[in-house]
Amino acid sequence: MPMRHALPIALLIALTTSIAASANPHERQLANGLRVIVKEDHRAPTVAHMVWYRAGSMDETSGRTGVAHVLEHMMFKGTPTAGPGEFNRRVAAAGGRDNAFTSRDYTAYFQQVPKRKLPEMMQLEADRMRHLSLEEKEFAQEIKVVMEERRLRTEDQPQALLYEKLNAVAFQVHPYRVPIIGWMTDLQSMTVSDARAWYDDWYAPNNAYVVVVGDVDHQEVFRFAEQYYGALPARTLPVRKPQDEPQQAGIRRLTLQAPADLPVVMMAYKVPVIRHVEQDVDPYALEMLAAVLAGHDAARLNRHLVREQRLAVSAGASYDSTARGPGIFHLHGAPSAGRSRGELEAGLRAELARVREEGVSAEELARAKAQLIASQIYKLDSIFAQAMEIGQLESAGIPHTMNRRLIDKLQEVSREQVQAVARKYFGDEALTVAELDPQPVPATPRPRSPFVPRH
């Protein structure tokens, strides 16, 4: 979420220039195809070490949804030389922290530890990149953990369930229609062989990159990388076939009935994402439109729909311009007591229509830029966030070296460009609307499984 600081644009430009001048990512590719990206930051004697695999839920096939995430869990089950739980134990003993995350576009693992422990972390990650133990007994236990995680985070959460249904209707062909955690029926039929096949297909040095940020010398990191990752063989990767979503030809609607306290409306418009940092214009204007609508407390949706009209108890907009797959611009909100879901949808549409017909003021755009760009700059205060930015840009096919240019492109967005994207992309032919029809909440909560999700 954007940070709530209003800074003059001139100051932001100065900050951006200063950061750009001191930026120092260094990169090397090993003979086996593994890329190693190192950014030195000597403010504290710590280091963030991440391994990113270019394989996420969008690479799954029907019947095996969720396998990328299941394999992420299994990666903590050990190797012949470091048994189950050993990875976490050694990170904790080092005084560090570790975890992993699976997305539509990638799967990544990280450790943040004292800098002297970096070689040990690289040794552990290299070991499980090639020698993971995938045992039937461990899998049988872990798949229950994942199914309970799905119940906790999706099936027991009406808004999360509505979001899952929205994506499943908005996309008919593209794998973004599938939840990252997978469909429950697929999890119930998944076997250790599915996890092993996924591991064999995608966990190879030539399908990965290592990001290291912290109090390190980049040449020393390259030597460690060669020592621990360099011996792993490259493998032939599966061929990724096109998975293009056909053009939508009319509005799509769905209503979900689930136990909940409040009704909810979610709207999803298909929009582009960044494919060429220099040539693209519309994704940056869409970022600015989202900031105009919902980038701060005084932004349009909160000011008009929540405070002035009292139509909604909450209202927001979101858009991510970086992704391997197609983009979505979301609008969402919960109507106030006595107001209907239809009235809220009309209110959200009216705010888009106002931008489409009247545009945005210079002051409004300047404030949105200040908020949005400040959030982009200040999020990089930690070494973990710096490593995340490098990894996420690369996962979307955007060179990490273009990170400052992305800020410049946001600075260049004009009022006319914001109005142009409002006119271009927000017709009913690209819209999916999902409504949550709240049902009575059971007096007795569902009994929890003894399995506690780790991630």
Side-chain angles (χ1 to χ4, degrees), residues 17 100 107 147 165 171 173 183 229 245 261 325 328 366 374:
T17 303
T107 310
M147 287 191 283
K165 304 300 182 189
F171 295 109
V173 172
W183 302 118
Y229 292 104
E245 178 72 15
D261 295 322
I328 287 285

Side-chain angles (χ1 to χ4, degrees), residues 17-259:
T17 303
S18 174
I19 291 172
S22 61
N24 66 356
H26 306 271
E27 181 174 348
R28 180 169 296 177
Q29 185 166 27
L30 306 186
N32 58 14
L34 180 76
R35 290 174 61 206
V36 184
I37 303 167
V38 183
K39 186 174 182 180
E40 297 184 12
D41 184 330
H42 300 286
R43 291 176 295 173
T46 185
V47 61
H49 171 238
M50 297 184 176
V51 177
W52 295 70
Y53 294 95
R54 295 185 190 83
S57 63
M58 73 171 284
D59 301 294
E60 296 167 347
T61 56
S62 181
R64 290 204 310 172
T65 65
V67 68
H69 175 248
V70 171
L71 196 277
E72 177 214 305
H73 277 243
M74 293 301 296
M75 285 286 281
F76 294 89
K77 296 302 179 182
T79 68
T81 55
E86 178 69 9
F87 196 109
N88 300 130
R89 190 195 65 76
R90 290 173 65 174
V91 173
R97 66 187 183 104
D98 74 305
N99 213 323
F101 30 86
T102 305
S103 85
R104 293 168 163 178
D105 299 340
Y106 58 81
T107 310
Y109 303 83
F110 78 87
Q111 304 87 44
Q112 186 165 348
V113 293
K115 64 177 185 179
R116 69 182 186 282
K117 292 294 183 179
L118 176 62
E120 183 179 353
M121 298 302 110
M122 298 181 92
Q123 181 183 26
L124 286 168
E125 283 289 10
D127 182 35
R128 67 178 179 177
M129 181 182 286
R130 186 69 184 91
H131 305 294
L132 182 66
S133 298
L134 283 162
E135 304 293 341
E136 183 75 45
K137 181 180 177 182
E138 294 285 354
F139 180 86
Q141 181 82 1
E142 201 62 25
I143 195 67
K144 294 177 182 175
V145 172
V146 174
M147 287 191 283
E148 181 61 14
E149 182 179 350
R150 180 183 162 79
R151 294 185 191 99
L152 285 172
R153 297 186 177 180
T154 302
E155 296 175 8
D156 290 351
Q157 304 294 329
Q159 292 199 28
L161 194 59
L162 185 69
Y163 181 74
E164 179 179 280
K165 304 300 182 189
L166 174 70
N167 286 322
V169 172
F171 295 109
Q172 295 186 331
V173 172
H174 195 276
Y176 274 7
R177 71 186 305 277
V178 170
I180 294 169
I181 200 167
W183 302 118
M184 182 61 88
T185 51
D186 287 348
L187 297 177
Q188 290 168 339
S189 63
M190 193 171 290
T191 68
V192 70
S193 297
D194 295 313
R196 185 174 293 111
W198 184 262
Y199 180 70
D200 290 341
D201 280 346
W202 299 114
Y203 280 55
N206 48 318
N207 192 44
Y209 49 99
V210 171
V211 180
V212 176
V213 178
D215 188 17
V216 295
D217 174 85
H218 65 278
Q219 293 292 355
E220 187 175 50
V221 175
F222 291 148
R223 288 194 294 274
F224 289 145
E226 186 64 50
Q227 178 180 350
Y228 296 113
Y229 292 104
L232 303 178
R235 294 205 301 274
T236 301
L237 301 173
V239 176
R240 288 185 167 105
K241 295 188 176 182
Q243 302 182 91
D244 298 331
E245 178 72 15
Q247 186 170 0
Q248 188 171 334
I251 191 169
R252 298 171 185 166
R253 289 186 176 276
L254 70 129
T255 300
L256 170 69
Q257 292 186 324

Side-chain angles (χ1 to χ4, degrees), residues 240-405:
R240 288 185 167 105
K241 295 188 176 182
Q243 302 182 91
D244 298 331
E245 178 72 15
Q247 186 170 0
Q248 188 171 334
I251 191 169
R252 298 171 185 166
R253 289 186 176 276
L254 70 129
T255 300
L256 170 69
Q257 292 186 324
D261 295 322
L262 292 173
V264 174
V265 175
M266 292 184 182
M267 304 169 67
Y269 290 90
K270 291 193 173 73
V271 296
V273 294
I274 297 172
R275 294 292 181 234
H276 192 289
V277 172
E278 293 295 344
Q279 296 174 7
D280 288 340
V281 173
D282 289 356
Y284 307 104
L286 287 164
E287 289 268 17
M288 213 54 70
L289 175 59
V292 166
L293 292 173
H296 50 89
D297 286 342
R300 289 192 176 202
L301 297 185
N302 196 46
R303 185 171 76 248
H304 294 160
L305 302 185
V306 177
R307 296 208 300 268
E308 294 177 359
Q309 301 175 33
R310 299 187 183 282
L311 177 57
V313 294
S314 64
S318 62
Y319 165 68
D320 187 350
S321 63
T322 58
R324 280 173 58 196
I328 287 285
F329 192 105
H330 289 102
L331 296 171
H332 51 86
S336 301
R339 308 302 291 267
S340 70
R341 303 191 298 269
E343 287 178 289
L344 177 55
E345 179 186 333
L348 292 168
R349 284 173 175 269
E351 292 303 319
L352 284 174
R354 191 167 291 120
V355 176
R356 190 162 53 237
E357 294 163 8
E358 303 170 5
V360 299
S361 70
E363 290 183 358
E364 194 174 25
L365 181 58
R367 183 169 184 178
K369 282 186 180 181
Q371 296 285 347
L372 181 59
I373 295 169
S375 72
Q376 296 296 316
I377 292 173
Y378 288 119
K379 77 178 183 182
L380 301 180
D381 282 352
S382 73
I383 61 170
F384 180 83
Q386 293 175 60
M388 284 294 295
E389 184 192 56
I390 292 170
Q392 289 180 325
L393 288 177
E394 291 288 335
S395 75
I398 299 174
H400 67 274
T401 52
M402 300 296 287
N403 61 338
R404 310 323 306 182
R405 186 61 186 141

